[in-house]
Amino acid sequence: MQDSIHQGLKTVKDTSYYQNALHVLNYAFGDFYLYDDFIISEIKAGEVVSWDTVGKLLVNDIREIYGTRSKELVYISNRVHKYAVMPSDWIKFRKNDCNIKAYAIVSYNKRAYLNALLEKLFFSARLQFFTSLDSAISWANEIQHKENVA
């Protein structure tokens, strides 16, 4: 992984995936693109993501849209901007019964990748790192397809 921004950096709006989103949630802290089996987040630059600043509101909205299916989703964090994550807050998600099937982190530079390694210490479900949004979406679709066939 390179220290500089990776050539593959893409926001969802810059891809064909944008037109296929079922819902788009726009908040002051970021944008969330909702699909049948996964969610893609793009947090805005300079934000601090924690249970109190992002988690509660997002989880309530996701549950309202997906209902009980919210636990069957893959969450893709498309880290196109620099922002901070409170990794220990993954514990608060679990305490509030906010589980997801898997978590993909798309990071475009070495520092973001190292920060994601810290998050992994607090996350209990399947977690995978990617350097492109396309790869993360393929992985999410593969997880859903394998489990739906079984």
Side-chain angles (χ1 to χ4, degrees):
M1 206 173 297
Q2 301 172 358
D3 284 330
S4 61
I5 296 297
H6 190 273
Q7 290 292 336
L9 183 138
K10 290 182 189 177
T11 65
V12 173
K13 287 183 179 179
D14 295 332
T15 69
S16 60
Y17 302 114
Y18 180 68
Q19 66 191 18
N20 296 324
L22 301 175
H23 297 282
V24 178
L25 302 175
N26 303 110
Y27 301 102
F29 52 81
D31 301 313
F32 296 78
Y33 305 90
L34 284 54
Y35 301 85
D36 281 331
D37 296 319
F38 59 89
I39 296 170
I40 302 172
S41 70
E42 293 179 349
I43 304 296
K44 294 184 179 175
E47 292 294 326
V48 177
V49 177
S50 71
W51 173 253
D52 292 326
T53 61
V54 175
K56 288 180 198 176
L57 175 62
L58 181 61
V59 166
N60 287 335
D61 288 349
I62 297 298
R63 282 181 177 160
E64 187 174 312
I65 292 167
Y66 287 99
T68 57
R69 285 197 55 240
S70 63
K71 293 182 181 187
E72 297 301 315
L73 299 171
V74 175
Y75 183 87
I76 301 171
S77 176
N78 190 29
R79 299 192 173 174
V80 292
H81 305 289
K82 291 182 181 180
Y83 62 91
V85 175
M86 300 296 295
S88 60
D89 276 11
W90 280 113
I91 296 167
K92 293 180 182 178
F93 277 83
R94 282 197 310 269
K95 285 183 179 179
N96 287 281
D97 197 31
C98 303
N99 298 314
I100 55 176
K101 185 180 284 188
Y103 180 32
I105 297 174
V106 183
S107 60
Y108 300 94
N109 63 59
K110 188 175 182 178
R111 185 174 184 170
Y113 175 77
L114 294 174
N115 289 338
L117 286 174
L118 182 60
E119 270 184 85
K120 190 173 184 173
L121 296 173
F122 296 94
F123 192 71
S124 61
R126 185 184 313 181
L127 186 144
Q128 186 72 36
F129 303 104
F130 297 92
T131 57
S132 79
L133 183 58
D134 293 327
S135 297
I137 291 172
S138 292
W139 179 74
N141 286 328
E142 183 180 309
I143 288 171
Q144 298 294 14
H145 177 72
K146 280 183 179 179
E147 292 186 9
N148 288 337
V149 171

